[in-house]
Amino acid sequence: YASVQPWSAAVIGADLKRLHGLPLIVDFRDPWSLSTSQAWPSRSHYRRDCRQEERIFREADAIVSVTPGIIDGYRERYPWAAEKIHLVYNGFDHDDFAESPNAATTSKGGPLRIAFAGRLYGIRGKDNSKRLQGLRSLIEYRNCSMDFTTHSLRYLLEAIAGIVKANPSARDDLLVDVAGNVPNDNRAYAEELEVGDLVRFHGMLPHSETIDLVGRSDAVFLPMMSETDSRRSFNASGKVFEYLAHRKPIIAAVPEGDAADLVREARCGWVGGGRDVAGQQSLLSDLLQWKREGRFGIKPHGAFIEKFERKALAGQLAQILKEVIMTNKPEEGRAV
């Protein structure tokens, strides 16, 4: 069982299969040739990786990945391998949330608390477009330039600043908790917009403390990088599922794609473009009003959310393992 990245794990897995005759399952937690954020130094580097990837798809007995978009992309790229490509989502463990508040409603009193937990990029993002220019002539090339600024606090902070400017008294009614790997310019930008007192940066926290921090919030913030050519996004990070487990209102500043579909189907929040400052400002105004009234306008789809509990997901993977083993029984007498 090879889990990638790093891509070399899949190559080693294929080599071990050849040496020992054992079945091989490769878990693409991230796409390889279909990546929309990775940049190759040259066309020869990209072609080499495509050859390695095609070898993996030919030799593996099963391929697993984590979103419908990745699955569809690989079934289109390797139609002859479609039947052995399987979807197993990321998910959450119920036990992690046993002590954490997860009600979809909140009580009156105190500020509206919004939480974020995870990794952010810098306010100005990063530019991968120049590194891609030499690859544009490749017919099969699937990469594109990405807007990483939407995976920062930039536009949320601008929305908060707009609310405070329009209504200075709102400064006492709003608080944002941020935990995780966050570049310093996010803090600096909050200070520049004069809303630094409304944002608390907690740094890296143990998982249990992060769950507690999010559990004590009224809503959670979900930003994502965006493809600049408006293609559907196949990204849906692990925190999406932990947010769903909390059953908190999600401010999903995400592009159209798999993550947006999950939030909508779970009935756990509102979806809008990452750069939509006006939309985020309007939503924050609604959340502030709902906080004052002690209610939030979501009714989570519990049965849908429970599909992502890891015991259920482990059952799906166990079935794949069983099928692979039953169709690849070792020869009699061979040590396994």
Side-chain angles (χ1 to χ4, degrees):
Y1 191 92
S3 181
V4 296
Q5 304 181 35
W7 316 119
S8 55
V11 178
I12 293 169
D15 290 341
L16 290 172
K17 176 179 178 175
R18 287 183 175 182
L19 285 171
H20 300 289
L22 294 173
L24 170 65
I25 298 175
V26 180
D27 184 349
F28 280 84
R29 293 175 291 106
D30 296 295
W32 192 352
S33 69
L34 301 184
S35 173
T36 54
S37 58
Q38 182 170 321
W40 286 263
S42 70
R43 284 181 289 179
S44 62
H45 284 83
Y46 178 69
R47 284 173 172 153
R48 179 202 62 191
D49 279 9
C50 286
R51 289 193 298 271
Q52 292 275 34
E53 181 184 77
E54 182 174 356
R55 174 200 167 193
I56 299 307
F57 273 77
R58 289 192 182 279
E59 298 190 11
D61 297 276
I63 300 288
V64 176
S65 198
V66 293
T67 70
I70 298 175
I71 296 295
D72 292 344
Y74 274 130
R75 285 176 176 167
E76 178 184 351
R77 190 169 182 82
Y78 304 116
W80 39 263
E83 291 187 1
K84 62 180 177 182
I85 301 175
H86 305 272
L87 171 63
V88 179
Y89 280 101
N90 285 312
F92 62 90
D93 292 310
H94 264 314
D95 291 347
D96 291 341
F97 298 85
E99 305 298 326
S100 177
N102 65 355
T105 58
T106 184
S107 60
K108 296 180 182 179
L112 172 71
R113 294 186 60 172
I114 299 171
F116 168 83
R119 177 188 180 187
L120 291 173
Y121 287 93
I123 291 296
R124 293 176 177 79
K126 65 178 183 177
D127 184 11
N128 70 336
S129 60
K130 292 181 180 179
R131 296 176 62 191
L132 304 178
Q133 290 174 359
L135 301 170
R136 293 301 183 194
S137 61
L138 280 175
I139 296 175
E140 76 273 23
Y141 190 65
R142 308 268 182 124
N143 207 305
C144 70
S145 59
M146 300 290 292
D147 181 1
F148 289 89
T149 67
T150 56
H151 201 143
S152 72
L153 294 179
R154 177 174 177 173
Y155 305 107
L156 177 67
L157 292 173
E158 291 175 3
I160 291 171
I163 285 177
V164 172
K165 183 177 180 180
N167 181 14
S169 64
R171 185 176 294 275
D172 298 326
D173 299 331
L174 187 59
L175 181 64
V176 181
D177 286 300
V178 180
N181 185 358
V182 181
N184 290 330
D185 65 352
N186 284 266
R187 184 195 299 267
Y189 196 55
E191 297 293 341
E192 180 182 332
L193 295 176
E194 299 182 348
V195 294
D197 58 318
L198 306 184
V199 186
R200 299 191 301 193
F201 293 89
H202 297 267
M204 299 294 289
L205 296 175
H207 188 230
S208 59
E209 293 182 24
T210 299
I211 288 176
D212 183 65
L213 182 75
V214 175
R216 288 183 281 109
S217 70
D218 298 303
V220 290
F221 179 53
L222 176 64
M224 277 177 45
M225 57 188 177
S226 305
E227 291 79 356
T228 58
D229 62 0
S230 300
R231 72 178 71 183
R232 273 183 60 85
S233 173
F234 52 64
N235 293 310
S237 68
K239 65 174 164 287
V240 176
F241 302 94
E242 295 211 336
Y243 280 0
L244 294 180
H246 280 288
R247 289 166 167 74
K248 299 282 185 177
I250 299 173
I251 304 169
V254 302
E256 287 300 322
D258 290 330
D261 291 347
L262 287 166
V263 173
R264 288 192 180 107
E265 192 162 356
R267 302 199 295 261
C268 268
W270 304 269
V271 176
R275 286 177 172 265
D276 185 5
V277 176
Q280 291 185 44
Q281 187 171 331
S282 176
L283 174 56
L284 288 174
S285 296
D286 289 341
L287 290 172
L288 286 166
Q289 179 61 34
W290 290 332
K291 173 68 177 181
R292 286 189 286 269
E293 296 173 359
R295 66 176 180 88
F296 280 130
I298 68 166
K299 295 181 179 179
H301 189 335
F304 176 76
I305 293 171
E306 286 303 306
K307 290 170 31 177
F308 307 112
E309 209 286 325
R310 285 207 175 96
K311 289 181 181 178
L313 300 175
Q316 295 176 25
L317 183 57
Q319 184 60 34
I320 295 170
L321 292 169
K322 180 179 178 180
E323 291 173 0
V324 166
I325 291 171
M326 293 302 294
T327 56
N328 293 270
K329 290 184 178 179
E331 296 175 7
E332 186 176 353
R334 173 181 290 171
V336 177

